[in-house]
Amino acid sequence: MKLSARNQIPGTVTAIAKGATTSHVSIDIGGTTVMAAITNEAVADLDLAVGKPAYAVIKASDVMVGVED
């Protein structure tokens, strides 16, 4: 897999919640869960299933940082 996104984090699919057109896919990346909203078609094309390995790929033009007071 070659992508221009630098943030490619390997993990394991822990849940897939399918809606009418969009699925919410949860990926465990070492104790932290990342959730992605992708089309149901993409879930099928990628053959995603709970327990399978997957990458959380994050590409953003801006990243915000926050701290607690």
Side-chain angles (χ1 to χ4, degrees), residues 7-34:
N7 299 307
Q8 301 174 33
I9 307 165
T12 303
V13 176
T14 57
I16 301 172
K18 289 190 178 181
T21 59
T22 303
S23 290
H24 290 90
V25 179
S26 298
I27 301 173
D28 180 287
I29 54 170
T32 298
T33 299
V34 174

Side-chain angles (χ1 to χ4, degrees), residues 1 7 11-12 25 34-35 48 51 58 63 65 67:
M1 173 175 72
N7 299 307
T12 303
V25 179
V34 174
M35 184 180 292
L48 293 179
I58 302 164
V63 175
V65 176
V67 298

